[in-house]
Structure formats: structure tokens, C-alpha cells
């Protein structure tokens, strides 16, 4: 986030006073803020342009924040910070299960909200690629194209950060590609949620962080023939996930 390109925050809450407070505070701290009060207004705002992050109230008129978050996460990796006056653990777990990236109970301090938004935005940034000389880049590109990592009928174009199926690109978000690359480089190894988070982001974890689970779900929908019965990314109950590049029995 910088003065020339401020991060865009979309606040979804039916409390005008809270929206005004957040708009003033976040704008004063370098964000570009837009507020809407319900699902239809949210969808209109998303059609006009995707924000960098969404602050979503759980209790909304009509379609609630859980349903809206689930809909958003089915189509994009926009970080969602969920707000709720109900602070019970189960509400928090459900919110994270449907794809929210963080959860904050009302009432809250604006400074804490600001810190959480900044943390989510940092986590959403793709890792920077190491700088190489032109010759090194050319050599690396040639090596990758001659022997690309592959699994089943798929292959990874590491230079272009793409997944290919019969030479056609399979649309993946940067977050989905990063997760798949970790799996492909660790075949046959059970990776816990904490291990995956360390490999992907390396940030201080919340014990209720479910963003990896949401990302696995979205990735399965794109690479598995039947995402309900995955053969490449398998769940090992109580331990984590195991990637099987053969797609058959381990």
C-alpha cells in the first residue's frame, strides 16, 4: 500500500455510523474506502471493480455475511475480514470455515482492525521472485521448459507460474498456484496445515486459521475430476494433506 496506489477496502455493514467511522479512520490511514449495506449492493460494487480486501459484517439484512463470503470465495481470493457482535467460538469457526481469512468481534478498536487489515494484505501478496541476471533467467527458463514438473495429465510452467493441461492453461489464482507448487514439490508427504502456512506465508498463525483449507477446496475443484473424491490432494484425517502425483493408490 502506498500513497500513489492505495489499497481499496470494501466495507459491508448495515450500520451507517460504523461505516462512517471506518471510512474516516481507514481513509486517514491511507486506504481507499467504499461502504455498502447489503448483498445486492455488494454485488454491484464487485461488478464495478474488485477491492483489495473486504470487511464483512456477519449479520446483514437478507443474505447474511456467511453466505456472501462463501459466494465471494468461490470466485476469488480477495481477503475477507468478518465482523460480528456474536463472539462465540462456534460463530468464529463457522465464519472461517466458509472462507473468511480473519474474524473480529464487535465492539473492537479501530487500531486493531487496521492492524488486521494490513496483516491480511501482506499475506495476500505473492512471494517476490529472486532477481537473476539475464543469462541465468534464460538458462532457468530453458531448463524448466525441457523438464517441467508434472502430475497426471498436468504440468507446471514454473517460469510463467501456470498450470497446463494438454498445452492449455488451467486458470489458477496466484494463491492457488503457490499452494499447488508446494504440493508438487513434496509428493507423498503428509503436510499439516501449519506446515503449509509456513511454506506459503511464514506469518504468525492464528490457531483458527482456515485459509489453507479454503484454498485446498478451491484448488481441488480445478484439478480433480470429482472434488468430493479427490485423487491428487488427499485429506489425511487429523494430520493434514498428502499430494499423490499418480492420482491412484499411494
Amino acid at each position: 500500500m502506498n500513497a500513489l496506489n492505495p489499497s481499496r477496502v470494501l466495507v459491508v455493514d448495515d450500520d451507517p455510523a460504523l461505516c462512517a467511522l471506518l471510512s474516516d479512520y481507514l481513509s486517514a490511514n491511507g486506504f481507499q474506502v467504499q461502504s455498502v449495506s447489503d448483498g445486492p449492493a455488494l454485488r454491484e460494487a464487485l461488478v464495478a471493480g474488485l477491492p483489495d480486501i473486504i470487511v464483512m459484517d456477519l449479520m446483514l439484512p437478507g443474505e447474511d455475511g456467511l453466505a456472501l463470503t462463501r459466494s465471494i470465495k468461490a470466485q476469488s481470493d480477495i481477503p475477507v475480514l468478518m465482523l460480528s457482535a456474536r463472539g462465540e467460538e462456534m460463530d468464529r469457526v463457522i465464519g472461517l470455515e466458509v472462507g473468511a481469512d480473519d474474524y473480529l468481534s464487535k465492539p473492537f478498536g479501530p487500531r486493531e482492525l487496521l492492524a488486521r487489515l494490513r496483516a491480511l494484505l501482506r499475506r495476500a501478496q505473492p512471494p517476490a521472485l529472486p532477481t537473476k541476471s539475464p543469462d541465468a533467467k534464460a538458462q532457468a527458463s530453458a531448463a524448466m521448459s525441457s523438464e517441467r514438473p508434472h502430475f497426471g495429465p498436468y504440468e507446471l510452467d514454473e517460469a510463467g507460474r501456470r498450470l497446463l493441461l494438454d498445452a492449455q492453461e488451467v486458470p489458477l489464482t496466484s494463491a492457488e498456484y503457490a499452494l499447488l507448487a508446494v504440493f508438487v514439490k513434496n509428493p507423498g508427504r503428509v503436510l499439516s496445515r501449519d506446515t503449509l502456512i509456513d511454506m506459503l506465508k511464514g506469518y504468525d498463525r492464528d490457531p483458527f486459521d482456515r485459509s489453507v483449507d479454503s484454498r485446498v477446496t478451491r484448488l481441488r475443484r480445478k484439478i480433480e475430476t470429482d472434488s468430493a473424491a479427490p485423487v491428487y490432494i488427499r485429506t489425511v484425517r487429523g494430520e493434514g494433506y498428502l499430494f499423490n502425483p499418480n492420482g491412484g493408490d499411494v
Side-chain angles (χ1 to χ4, degrees), residues 13 38 60 62 99 113-114 118 127 131 137 146 155 164 197 200 203:
D13 199 298
D38 55 24
L60 292 168
L113 175 72
L114 177 63
R118 286 174 171 167
T131 302
K137 287 181 179 179
S146 63
E155 65 176 359
L164 303 176
I197 290 173
L200 290 166
Y203 65 92

Side-chain angles (χ1 to χ4, degrees), residues 13-14 27 34 39 110-111 124 165 172-173 181 194 214 216 237-238 245:
D13 199 298
D14 62 339
S27 296
Q34 179 183 3
R111 291 179 63 184
L165 174 62
L172 296 180
T173 65
D194 283 351
S214 299
V216 167
R237 188 174 298 276

Side-chain angles (χ1 to χ4, degrees), residues 74-118:
Q75 304 174 55
S76 76
D77 275 322
I78 300 171
V80 175
L81 171 61
M82 184 164 287
L83 304 177
S84 176
R86 297 181 350 199
E88 289 83 356
E89 179 179 307
M90 185 53 64
D91 292 321
R92 172 176 170 146
V93 170
I94 292 173
L96 295 171
E97 286 282 4
V98 302
D101 298 276
D102 201 355
Y103 190 105
L104 190 58
S105 298
K106 296 179 180 179
F108 56 85
R111 291 179 63 184
E112 181 179 5
L113 175 72
L114 177 63
R116 287 176 181 258
L117 289 178
R118 286 174 171 167

Side-chain angles (χ1 to χ4, degrees), residues 91-243:
D91 292 321
R92 172 176 170 146
V93 170
I94 292 173
L96 295 171
E97 286 282 4
V98 302
D101 298 276
D102 201 355
Y103 190 105
L104 190 58
S105 298
K106 296 179 180 179
F108 56 85
R111 291 179 63 184
E112 181 179 5
L113 175 72
L114 177 63
R116 287 176 181 258
L117 289 178
R118 286 174 171 167
L120 288 176
L121 288 170
R122 285 195 301 270
R123 285 157 50 179
Q125 294 299 314
L129 297 175
T131 302
K132 299 180 180 179
S133 66
D135 288 344
K137 287 181 179 179
Q139 293 171 2
S141 178
M144 289 176 186
S145 62
S146 63
E147 190 175 350
R148 288 172 171 165
H150 64 276
F151 64 96
Y154 299 98
E155 65 176 359
L156 261 64
D157 173 9
E158 294 183 300
R161 293 180 61 81
R162 300 183 302 160
L163 176 65
L164 303 176
L165 174 62
D166 297 329
Q168 299 297 314
E169 182 175 359
V170 178
L172 296 180
T173 65
S174 60
E176 290 164 353
Y177 178 88
L179 177 61
L180 179 59
V182 167
F183 279 131
V184 170
K185 292 176 182 177
N186 294 274
R189 175 185 171 191
V190 177
L191 301 175
S192 69
R193 184 185 302 116
D194 283 351
T195 298
L196 287 169
I197 290 173
D198 285 337
M199 289 178 167
L200 290 166
K201 300 179 270 192
Y203 65 92
D204 291 334
R205 300 176 299 282
D206 186 307
F208 291 99
D209 192 323
R210 307 294 291 188
S211 61
V212 166
D213 300 308
S214 299
R215 201 181 302 182
V216 167
T217 298
R218 295 194 296 274
L219 183 56
R220 279 173 170 165
R221 290 175 185 149
K222 297 183 179 181
I223 68 171
E224 301 281 2
T225 302
D226 180 1
S227 61
V231 297
Y232 295 117
I233 304 176
R234 299 184 175 183
T235 299
V236 180
R237 188 174 298 276
E239 296 185 45
Y241 298 102
L242 181 147
F243 180 73

